[in-house]
Amino acid sequence: MRDLDRAFQNWWGRPDHFKRPTWRKAEINEGFAIRDLSVKRLNRKWGEVLVPKCGWVKFRVSRKWLDIENSTSARVTKDRSGRWFVSFTAPASQMDRVSTGSSIGIDMGISSTVTLSNGEQMQMPELLTKGQLQRKRRLQRKLARQSKGSNRRKATKLAIAKLSAREVDRRKDWIEKTTTKLTHDYDTIVIEDLKIKNMTKSAKGTIANPGKNVAAKSGLNRSILEQGWGIFRKRLNDKATNAQVPVKVTSINPAYTSQRCSVCGNTMRKNRKSQAVFSCQSCGHIDNADVNAAKNIIAAGLAVTGRRGILQAKSVSTKQSNPMKRQPLIPA
């Protein structure tokens, strides 16, 4: 009842940030909270937490023990692949960094996940091996043929969930490492204000007005979502705000950044020869298309920083939700 009251108070107080509380659904966000927390350390790698009506349960220590020991509550969760986690409430530690005075522009893409304005390209590694990807597809086809509610269908869903969990873990690991490096190396980071939800809308249309190239658009949508652009931007903002020396993150309007020449400013559709080649029809400048876009992004970001009233870019600051007794969870 206390959690329910808190959820409604947060929703009524900040409807722009908090959504309406929803009912629990089986196998979705499974978990429970531990209020009166008791923990003890077994050795360097393992600890125990007292779970009501279950007794002492071992967990792997993956954070500083001092933060775990000083926590006031915890939450035990289970993901769809059957893995159990315990998360302890503790203030997030600040990132140690010194001011570098450097600025960078970031272009998000598919062939190259992250392209920097200095020409560096960062590619997300393969989330699943070729064999794992084939197995996942076979299991998905098998799932479509099985009866709902059957034990064999549950086993197939669990096998798919285990493969998906590996995919998610590898994506998050790469994003965490990449955003940490960028936040550590640069004082100003300029990114595109991408509307990912609109970009990944289905193109199938309706029966009366069917869409075109539906299969191609579906493939593009999957590729965009696999890159994790949304969580990349969120973690970048979180780390930039929480650093000891704050990092300024500016988002700009992405319109024409891939078609504008970074040298002369000419904007023509024909400038983009292909996915990878940019060739200006006015001055003849030739560059990698993603690198050219990243240069336009950093130029627009620095322009809005130096002069006010430019509509091409806008600075985005993280809003503080300030919910009642809300603290970040640190998984252990």
Side-chain angles (χ1 to χ4, degrees):
M1 294 300 295
R2 180 168 53 184
D3 291 342
L4 180 64
D5 178 69
R6 182 183 304 174
F8 273 104
Q9 292 296 335
N10 291 338
W11 176 47
W12 292 334
R14 284 287 306 280
D16 60 319
H17 183 80
F18 295 98
K19 295 182 180 180
R20 176 187 173 91
T22 58
W23 296 104
R24 173 189 173 275
K25 294 183 179 179
E27 300 181 2
I28 298 178
N29 297 328
E30 295 278 13
F32 56 90
I34 304 175
R35 301 297 181 188
D36 301 324
L37 187 63
S38 296
V39 294
K40 61 183 180 181
R41 192 164 192 174
L42 299 179
N43 51 46
R44 185 172 63 88
K45 294 183 178 180
W46 293 93
E48 283 187 333
V49 59
L50 182 60
V51 179
K53 300 183 181 181
C54 293
W56 290 96
V57 179
K58 291 174 63 177
F59 66 90
R60 181 66 179 262
V61 178
S62 61
R63 301 290 178 178
K64 293 181 180 180
W65 180 255
L66 184 62
D67 293 338
I68 297 175
E69 196 174 28
N70 293 334
S71 300
T72 58
S73 63
R75 181 169 179 80
V76 179
T77 56
K78 178 186 178 183
D79 65 7
R80 296 188 181 186
S81 63
R83 300 181 302 178
W84 289 89
F85 299 90
V86 57
S87 300
F88 299 93
T89 56
S93 58
Q94 289 187 322
M95 178 187 297
D96 296 331
R97 70 177 302 273
V98 295
S99 179
T100 61
S102 301
S103 303
I104 201 69
I106 298 177
D107 177 68
M108 306 297 296
I110 296 175
S111 61
S112 177
T113 308
V114 174
T115 302
L116 306 182
S117 55
N118 60 9
E120 183 180 357
Q121 292 184 323
M122 301 177 179
Q123 180 61 43
M124 182 181 295
E126 291 185 358
L127 303 179
L128 292 177
T129 64
K130 186 176 180 180
Q132 290 172 340
L133 188 59
Q134 290 178 348
R135 182 170 183 267
K136 185 177 179 180
R137 290 173 178 172
R138 288 197 300 268
L139 289 171
Q140 288 173 336
R141 290 194 293 266
K142 182 179 179 181
L143 182 71
R145 298 192 299 266
Q146 292 175 325
S147 302
K148 293 185 177 180
S150 65
N151 291 331
R152 292 185 177 182
R153 181 182 173 86
K154 292 180 181 179
T156 304
K157 286 181 66 177
L158 180 60
I160 295 174
K162 289 181 177 180
L163 289 173
S164 298
R166 289 190 179 187
E167 188 176 3
V168 171
D169 290 345
R170 291 168 182 169
R171 179 187 297 111
K172 287 184 177 180
D173 178 72
W174 184 84
I175 289 175
E176 291 293 334
K177 292 177 180 178
T178 305
T179 51
T180 298
K181 182 180 184 302
L182 292 172
T183 308
H184 186 271
D185 293 346
Y186 301 100
D187 286 352
T188 302
I189 301 175
V190 186
I191 59 177
E192 295 174 293
D193 187 16
L194 298 173
K195 307 299 182 183
I196 302 173
K197 186 175 181 180
N198 295 339
M199 294 173 64
T200 55
K201 282 185 178 180
S202 175
K204 63 181 180 181
T206 62
I207 297 177
N209 298 312
K212 298 180 180 179
N213 299 325
V214 178
K217 184 62 169 64
S218 299
L220 177 62
N221 292 350
R222 283 194 298 269
S223 299
I224 292 174
L225 295 175
E226 284 176 357
Q227 302 301 314
W229 293 351
I231 189 174
F232 182 93
R233 179 175 174 180
K234 179 181 182 302
R235 294 301 294 146
L236 188 65
N237 280 321
D238 292 343
K239 294 177 182 181
T241 305
N242 200 43
Q244 286 185 351
V245 179
V247 178
K248 183 178 180 60
V249 178
T250 303
S251 64
I252 69 158
N253 184 354
Y256 303 109
T257 54
S258 62
Q259 299 177 10
R260 181 180 294 108
C261 177
S262 60
V263 176
C264 68
N266 176 266
T267 303
M268 292 182 62
R269 189 173 184 179
K270 294 181 179 180
N271 288 344
R272 189 73 180 260
K273 291 294 185 180
S274 65
Q275 196 283 327
V277 178
F278 180 90
S279 179
C280 181
Q281 302 298 303
S282 177
C283 67
H285 173 67
I286 299 176
D287 200 351
N288 179 276
D290 295 332
V291 174
N292 179 78
K295 291 178 180 178
N296 289 325
I297 292 169
I298 184 61
L302 295 179
V304 75
T305 303
R307 295 181 297 171
R308 296 183 179 180
I310 296 178
L311 300 178
Q312 178 65 16
K314 61 180 179 179
S315 179
V316 176
S317 58
T318 306
K319 289 185 177 180
Q320 300 295 330
S321 58
N322 195 24
M324 295 182 297
K325 299 181 180 178
R326 183 180 176 93
Q327 289 179 311
L329 295 178
I330 298 182

